[in-house]
Amino acid sequence: MIKYSVDQNVAIISWEMTSTPMNVLNDESIPQFEAALQQAFTDDSVKGIIITSAKPEFVAGADLKMILRNNDKEPAQMLKVSSELNRVFRRIETSGKPTVAAINGTALGGGYEICLACHYRVVLNNPKTLIGLVEVTIGLLPGAGGTQRLPRMIGIQAALPLILEGKKVGVQEAKKLGMVDDIADSPAEMLAKAHAWIAANPNPLKPWDEIDRKTGKIVGKDNFKVPGGNVQSIVGVQTFSAGTAMLMDKTKGNYPAPLEIMACVYEGLQVNIDRALAIEARHFVKVATSKVARNLIQTMFLGMNEANKGASRPKDIPKTDVKKLGILGAGMMGAGIAYVAAQAGIEVILKDVSVEAAEKGKDYSRSLLKKGVERGKIDPLKVDGILNLIQPSANVQDLQGCDLIIEAVFENRDLKAQVTKEAEPMLVATNNPAGGVFGSNTSTLPISGLAQASANPANFIGIHFFSPVDKMMLVEIIMTKQTSDYALAVAIDFTRKIRKTPIVVNDSRGFYTSRCFGTYSSEGMELLKDGVNPILIENGGKDAGMPVGPLAVTDEVSLDLVYKIAGQGIKDGFLSEDDTSYQIAKQFVNLGRSGKKAKAGFYDYPEGEPKQIWSGLTDLFPLADQQPSLDEVKTRLLYRQVIEAVRCFEENVVRTKLDADLGSILAWGFPAYTGGALSFVDFVGIDTFIKTCDRLAEQYGERFRPTAKLRERAEQQELV
Ligand code: NAD
């Protein structure tokens, strides 16, 4: 609901929506907002307008469900959404009444575009407040004037990176950049400043507007000078030519929105604001009706929210709360887990074989906190409090009273069994009636096997973090057949408490993420064996949207690990001896080229220089006379991962489509523009997917063959 009141001849329009958790621009709020503005415009006693909110945030942006509803409709429908908003916002600018945005909290996307349309912006000083045009992160562009007003206000060079990266900035930075005009220390001061500005500026005019002599109306100036230089200035030309090349390099053309933003700013800034807004609306429609925007909104925004709210959490278990966490092993992973847990206010016992080793693990938190303070990301007053929560120890008795223990000792089954037996009796049900939970952070050992060492396998679960723990957002939770719903609830509640995104999978070889990710590396080696130029292989991966080429990533994982895991697969009967990854990994380990840590793998790592493809690689794998196209390499690399994800889903290794998609993007960097490894099938179309898989299977091997279930779905035209 949008409330209207008048105070000292100034209309106060306050956003306080009750139908949605946050204030958003949607079919309900836009007409209400317009009606409130209309009331202010037409009441002669009203001398100015203040737009604010009674909720913690100002306005969080456009309702993405509304965008999604119109995504596959006629472009005209989407154009209507954008044009309506532009018309309303433009009226704020040209009504002749001074309008101030009193930004009481976070203003993102369309929310900040309201502020941009106002004549003045006062923001309440609050460390939680974030301001920015974030649309690009979900495949969109600011479609309510953002691409036109921000560069006109702060200059092209300052505005473009903010819009292209979808950057959210805090209050102080927003003021420094000129995104807001003033900061207030209290809500009362914010309103007082807004009133004072209105009183001092009875007839405000935006610098890009002028008064038409004939009609006396406010209209857009044709020759407006953009601060810092117009599009055709030297700075402007440099910004656009270098910027476009950089964008192409970064997005490989997979994400249309950044390039559309560039075009929008370039074209729009050469004409008056009214024509510019029409140009922006056209570009907006193009991206907002794209499949990429739909995929990003569905998986990365709505899907992620769902997962973070605990979509996979058993509903009938009351909320659990880990207060004391035990971590076994203060190495790379244990130290990282301790850091994120202490950050979330959890008491941590960090145990290793000696207090010195455990202290070393705590040092990791010290150094991350120091860096955070230096970068202004962490409040220096909070550092000691966080560090005090981590108690290094070598004594198992200190784990007494933990409600969750996570082991992150060496990847050794016997050692893991030993520490499980030792530590489990320390778990007590301080706040959980069903007792404490024991989690393993193993990356390769099946959880069911490790659970054999447990006295209480119902409370034994896999809690798989990714490295580096502080940066990687995903936690893969692994269930055995015996794991209880209660243990799952504890693991999910804990993951949420440390602000990570959980996915839930069933125990199996490589779980979900490692199994699918392995196929990327493995297909890279198949391509190598087929005589494909290694540079083409690496470019194929990156061009498809993977963060790193398949050979480089294999070097990072290390070929001895690939050799070890593949060897185990052969022992367990999952893999044949002539498996390409196994053979190549074995060959490289024997050559002493086990990857990045050995400074030699598929690449050479000369000291102080960028890595280069090893010159001996083409001696081992002579180049084929005929090289495939870049598209063919991309197809092989992506389809191989997707068909494995499909198998995992059908085998119930990964439980939901959302978990499969999110897991693929967050764990191993599967390209988000596709919507994720399972959504990929719908992205390209199930018929095309099957046809391509069949062709690849004929040409390169059965590993590409589509499953029978997939064919059934295609026949019924069912979405995956
Ligand atoms: P690491 O070698 O850095 O650390 C292991 C730590 O365990 C060492 O500090 C060691 O002293 C300690 N330790 C050994 N015996 C112990 C005992 N009895 N009690 C307490 N501590 C003991 O290893 P890491 O990379 O942190 O990996 C730990 C686990 O996490 C492994 O199971 C690994 O597979 C898994 N994992 C690793 C990664 C990764 O990227 N490194 C990712 C996910 C999962």
Side-chain angles (χ1 to χ4, degrees):
M1 183 158 107
I2 291 172
K3 283 205 180 138
Y4 182 88
S5 60
V6 178
D7 176 29
Q8 306 161 51
N9 286 341
V10 170
I12 313 281
I13 296 177
S14 176
W15 283 72
E16 23 200 295
M17 292 178 74
T18 46
S19 53
T20 48
M22 286 197 180
N23 289 326
V24 286
L25 288 155
N26 65 11
D27 300 335
E28 179 199 333
S29 63
I30 298 168
Q32 281 187 24
F33 183 47
E34 187 179 11
L37 286 166
Q38 185 65 18
Q39 197 172 343
F41 296 152
T42 51
D43 183 342
D44 287 341
S45 69
V46 166
K47 303 298 177 209
I49 304 164
I50 295 174
I51 302 172
T52 191
S53 137
K55 294 184 80 158
E57 73 287 355
F58 178 76
V59 177
D63 185 345
L64 293 176
K65 288 193 180 134
M66 173 178 76
I67 306 274
L68 217 48
R69 266 201 307 279
N70 293 312
N71 171 271
D72 54 359
K73 300 238 170 72
E74 282 296 301
Q77 192 62 30
M78 196 64 92
L79 189 62
K80 213 172 129 224
V81 174
S82 172
S83 309
E84 280 284 282
L85 272 184
N86 270 326
R87 191 179 49 73
V88 176
F89 289 10
R90 184 69 181 130
R91 285 213 61 203
I92 298 177
E93 243 171 7
T94 57
S95 77
K97 297 196 180 188
T99 306
V100 178
I103 312 168
N104 57 297
T106 289
L108 296 175
Y112 180 55
E113 287 176 294
I114 298 178
C115 308
L116 284 171
C118 293
H119 299 102
Y120 195 71
R121 290 148 287 274
V122 197
V123 60
L124 177 63
N125 198 3
N126 180 339
K128 286 196 181 143
T129 294
L130 291 171
I131 295 177
L133 295 173
V134 292
E135 288 85 344
V136 74
T137 58
I138 37 161
L140 298 175
L141 60 82
T147 65
Q148 301 307 314
R149 292 193 178 94
L150 191 60
R152 278 173 171 78
M153 209 165 90
I154 66 171
I156 297 169
Q157 257 191 322
L160 259 183
L162 289 170
I163 308 174
L164 287 171
E165 289 164 31
K167 241 174 132 179
K168 298 184 231 181
V169 302
V171 168
Q172 304 298 338
E173 203 182 342
K175 172 75 174 64
K176 212 160 73 193
L177 287 164
M179 295 170 76
V180 297
D181 302 289
D182 201 357
I183 299 177
D185 285 323
S186 68
E189 192 192 10
M190 177 179 70
L191 288 180
K193 284 188 166 181
H195 275 290
W197 193 87
I198 287 169
N201 296 275
N203 299 302
L205 194 63
K206 286 283 179 82
W208 48 85
D209 278 332
E210 61 191 352
I211 303 194
D212 184 276
R213 286 207 193 131
K214 280 188 217 141
T215 61
K217 285 201 172 140
I218 297 172
V219 291
K221 239 187 224 173
D222 274 332
N223 53 355
F224 170 66
K225 294 240 172 328
V226 181
N230 278 32
V231 167
Q232 308 292 6
S233 69
I234 295 176
V235 172
V237 170
Q238 279 170 349
T239 308
F240 282 98
S241 51
T244 311
M246 260 161 56
L247 272 188
M248 266 320 277
D249 187 47
K250 207 169 144 192
T251 65
K252 316 285 182 204
N254 291 322
Y255 296 85
L259 287 171
E260 293 292 329
I261 288 170
M262 284 290 249
C264 209
V265 176
Y266 184 80
E267 293 164 26
L269 264 76
Q270 304 189 50
V271 294
N272 71 44
I273 186 86
D274 291 298
R275 287 168 60 202
L277 292 173
I279 290 173
E280 185 195 71
R282 233 184 35 230
H283 286 284
F284 173 77
V285 169
K286 204 164 151 194
V287 293
T289 52
S290 70
K291 276 188 182 181
V292 171
R294 187 191 62 201
N295 287 341
L296 289 172
I297 294 173
Q298 239 160 15
T299 307
M300 297 309 284
F301 188 84
L302 299 174
M304 184 102 95
N305 277 351
E306 224 179 279
N308 286 344
K309 274 194 235 143
S312 302
R313 188 189 186 282
K315 303 285 171 278
D316 48 349
I317 308 279
K319 184 154 171 34
T320 67
D321 184 21
V322 168
K323 293 210 161 69
K324 185 172 175 184
L325 170 72
I327 301 173
L328 308 178
M332 188 164 99
M333 297 306 286
I337 301 167
Y339 173 73
V340 293
Q343 278 265 13
I346 300 172
E347 182 191 347
V348 177
I349 307 295
L350 183 57
K351 186 194 170 288
D352 208 296
V353 285
S354 67
V355 177
E356 294 72 42
E359 271 292 349
K360 219 169 133 222
K362 184 171 172 176
D363 281 345
Y364 183 66
S365 288
R366 290 191 181 98
S367 81
L368 284 184
L369 287 166
K370 189 161 164 263
K371 266 191 219 147
V373 170
E374 280 162 9
R375 293 193 189 136
K377 300 243 176 305
I378 287 169
D379 180 352
L381 297 174
K382 292 203 173 138
V383 169
D384 283 348
I386 297 172
L387 285 175
N388 286 343
L389 284 171
I390 305 175
Q391 185 194 328
S393 164
N395 182 357
V396 76
Q397 293 300 329
D398 288 335
L399 298 165
Q400 196 73 250
C402 284
D403 29 29
L404 174 67
I405 293 176
I406 299 176
E407 73 75 17
V409 298
F410 300 130
E411 192 72 338
N412 175 305
R413 218 190 124 130
D414 293 338
L415 176 64
K416 285 186 190 290
Q418 180 205 320
V419 299
T420 304
K421 287 199 176 108
E422 233 169 59
E424 231 179 13
M426 303 298 135
L427 280 168
V428 273
T430 41
N431 58 351
N432 296 329
V437 171
F438 195 95
S440 172
N441 181 47
T442 175
S443 37
T444 57
L445 302 169
I447 302 296
S448 315
L450 297 179
Q452 284 169 9
S454 168
N456 187 7
N459 282 7
F460 196 97
I461 194 163
I463 305 182
H464 182 202
F465 285 84
F466 297 83
S467 173
V469 178
D470 59 303
K471 295 223 172 70
M472 297 293 282
M473 287 315 296
L474 193 81
V475 174
E476 184 179 30
I477 296 172
I478 304 130
M479 302 280 288
T480 71
K481 288 209 170 72
Q482 287 168 289
T483 309
S484 63
D485 275 0
Y486 164 73
L488 175 60
V490 171
I492 290 184
D493 292 344
F494 166 70
T495 307
R496 290 306 307 128
K497 191 166 178 181
I498 58 168
R499 296 189 201 94
K500 305 261 175 219
T501 299
I503 65 165
V504 182
V505 311
N506 287 325
D507 192 23
S508 78
R509 192 178 48 91
F511 316 131
Y512 167 64
T513 57
S514 308
R515 174 169 157 188
C516 293
F517 173 59
T519 59
Y520 177 56
S521 149
S522 155
E523 196 56 29
M525 292 189 251
E526 295 282 0
L527 283 155
L528 201 57
K529 190 176 132 200
D530 290 349
V532 178
N533 189 327
I535 296 171
L536 184 55
I537 301 174
E538 295 296 81
N539 285 346
K542 286 185 277 184
D543 231 68
M546 297 293 294
V548 190
L551 302 177
V553 91
T554 310
D555 266 3
E556 270 169 41
V557 168
S558 93
L559 282 134
D560 50 357
L561 188 63
V562 174
Y563 179 47
K564 194 174 141 198
I565 295 172
Q568 188 64 45
I570 293 168
K571 240 196 231 159
D572 296 344
F574 290 114
L575 220 57
S576 85
E577 186 92 22
D578 57 6
D579 175 76
T580 304
S581 314
Y582 175 71
Q583 287 300 336
I584 293 182
K586 183 169 151 191
Q587 189 176 12
F588 271 67
V589 169
N590 288 338
L591 284 169
R593 302 191 65 91
S594 61
K596 193 173 172 187
K597 63 179 185 191
K599 296 200 162 48
F602 294 125
Y603 283 80
D604 274 329
Y605 298 83
E607 205 63 45
E609 279 176 51
K611 64 178 188 291
Q612 319 157 349
I613 299 260
W614 175 43
S615 56
L617 206 49
T618 41
D619 298 333
L620 289 186
F621 305 100
L623 296 183
D625 292 340
Q626 213 171 357
Q627 290 291 311
S629 68
L630 181 65
D631 265 349
E632 181 72 348
V633 176
K634 282 160 68 174
T635 306
R636 278 179 68 172
L637 289 170
L638 287 180
Y639 274 64
R640 179 76 195 279
Q641 298 173 67
V642 173
I643 194 73
E644 198 64 25
V646 168
R647 288 192 195 110
C648 283
F649 186 53
E650 290 179 359
E651 290 166 21
N652 200 24
V653 168
V654 63
R655 294 175 158 200
T656 65
K657 182 183 178 196
L658 176 61
D659 281 0
D661 282 338
L662 273 180
S664 68
I665 298 169
L666 299 180
W668 79 88
F670 191 82
Y673 69 88
T674 65
L678 270 193
S679 284
F680 181 93
V681 179
D682 303 329
F683 180 58
V684 297
I686 191 163
D687 293 333
T688 308
F689 183 79
I690 288 180
K691 226 159 83 195
T692 310
C693 280
D694 276 328
R695 177 184 69 76
L696 294 170
E698 295 308 322
Q699 238 168 312
Y700 307 111
E702 284 304 305
R703 61 186 182 278
F704 286 105
R705 192 68 74 191
T707 63
K709 246 194 201 152
L710 207 56
R711 289 187 206 280
E712 270 170 40
R713 280 178 191 273
E715 267 162 36
Q716 289 152 17
Q717 282 300 306
E718 209 180 286
L719 287 186
V720 172

